Amino acid sequence: MTAVTVPTVPLATADGTVPVPLLGLGTWQARGDEAYRTVRSALDLGYRHLDTATMYGNEVEIGRAVADSGVDRAELFVTTKCPPDRLGQEDETLERSLRDLRLDHVDLWLVHWPPHGEHGSVRMWERFLVARDRGRATAVGVSNYSPALIDELVSATGAGPAIDQIPWSPADHDPTLVEELRARGVVLEGYSPFKRTDLDHPTLVGVAQAHGATTAQVVLAWHLKHGFVVIPKSVRTERLRSNLDAVELDLAEDEIAAIDALGS
Ligand SMILES: NC(=O)c1ccc[n+]([C@@H]2O[C@H](COP(=O)([O-])OP(=O)(O)OC[C@H]3O[C@@H](n4cnc5c(N)ncnc54)[C@H](OP(=O)(O)O)[C@@H]3O)[C@@H](O)[C@H]2O)c1
């Protein structure tokens, strides 16, 4: 195992905070043996944060990989997500995830998308808060929510999400949205950092060359410097390693500003 130390940020829980590693492993579209092998490699390399979802169909393989890895549960941060069409069946959905993942709690449980229907989003959120109070999810959050939708949850229940997982990359950078989430105490977690980026963009190439890094590493380091959680997915060991090594890349303020400008 490498000795990479991934920085963390605190996420609100029922009675305090839990640290979430800023860089984790995305697992969407990794299925079957490939998912198992990927998670084993990632844990061997030093990843300690895994992102999955009921919809990804890989919780069984991830559970087996975690169990076989020998990594201490206390060192791991595991996220899963509840599909919006499980409205009314949230408890069963979480229990199924826990059984498949072979865990007695997840560190973070997310509403995958806002459920439709009258008060659907609030009704699902109420069940999330119960799951958190029962200790089945240490922190609860949402995904693909706007600040306005988050406000609806807070006014109905008095409790907001710890995190909002949204599509994010330099091209998506929006300081107003960053500030809106920060003002609500919601951590910004980005998904699809590479899919949403032109990795040949001259600005990224220039910064990468200055550091002897890849543009993919520059994109990840930009997230980390801002304190955005990022969960790049790869099924290739070399990319898993180089993505994790991005934590060592220290970008200068003018480089961050130049990358921020890709979002305007
Ligand atoms: N909440 C939501 O609605 C939502 C939606 C989408 C994604 N997510 C989560 O976010 C995670 C990440 O997003 P994503 O999987 O959509 O996209 P991503 O992480 O931006 O990109 C994954 C793609 O980039 C490739 N890649 C990985 N490392 C690379 C590198 N160093 N250089 C060049 N290419 C590289 C991967 O190929 P190889 O695998 O072949 O290396 C794969 O094709 C997902 O896996 C999932 O956990 C959540």
Side-chain angles (χ1 to χ4, degrees), residues 28 51 143 165 192 194-195 233-236 239 243:
W28 180 36
D51 181 87
S143 181
Q165 187 181 112
S192 304
F194 303 142
K195 285 183 185 163
K233 172 260 179 189
S234 178
V235 295
R236 307 184 201 198
R239 283 178 171 176
N243 292 345

Side-chain angles (χ1 to χ4, degrees), residues 25-30 34 50-53 56 81 110-113 142-144 165-168 190-197 199 214-217 220 230-240 242-243:
L25 175 71
T27 68
W28 180 36
Q29 296 171 319
E34 186 173 65
L50 307 173
D51 181 87
T52 182
Y56 298 171
K81 314 185 190 81
L110 301 179
V111 180
H112 206 148
W113 280 285
V142 294
S143 181
N144 301 300
Q165 187 181 112
I166 55 176
W168 201 249
Y191 68 72
S192 304
F194 303 142
K195 285 183 185 163
R196 304 180 64 82
T197 299
L199 292 174
T214 67
T215 52
Q217 288 176 318
L220 298 177
V230 65
I231 44 172
K233 172 260 179 189
S234 178
V235 295
R236 307 184 201 198
T237 303
E238 269 322 302
R239 283 178 171 176
L240 288 172
S242 72
N243 292 345

Side-chain angles (χ1 to χ4, degrees), residues 55 82-88 111-116 124:
M55 280 187 57
C82 180
D85 64 3
R86 299 292 170 91
L87 182 63
V111 180
H112 206 148
W113 280 285
H116 293 302
M124 184 169 273

Side-chain angles (χ1 to χ4, degrees), residues 2 13-14 22 30 37 40 62 95 119 143 160 230:
T2 57
T13 64
L22 281 178
R37 277 186 272 109
R40 284 299 303 272
I62 291 178
E95 291 310 311
H119 308 306
S143 181
V230 65

Side-chain angles (χ1 to χ4, degrees), residues 5 22 43 57 70 88 94 108 124 133 143 151 164 169 171 208 243 261-263:
T5 303
L22 281 178
L43 293 173
L94 180 56
L108 177 63
M124 184 169 273
D133 290 344
S143 181
D151 289 343
D164 192 9
S169 69
N243 292 345
L262 300 180

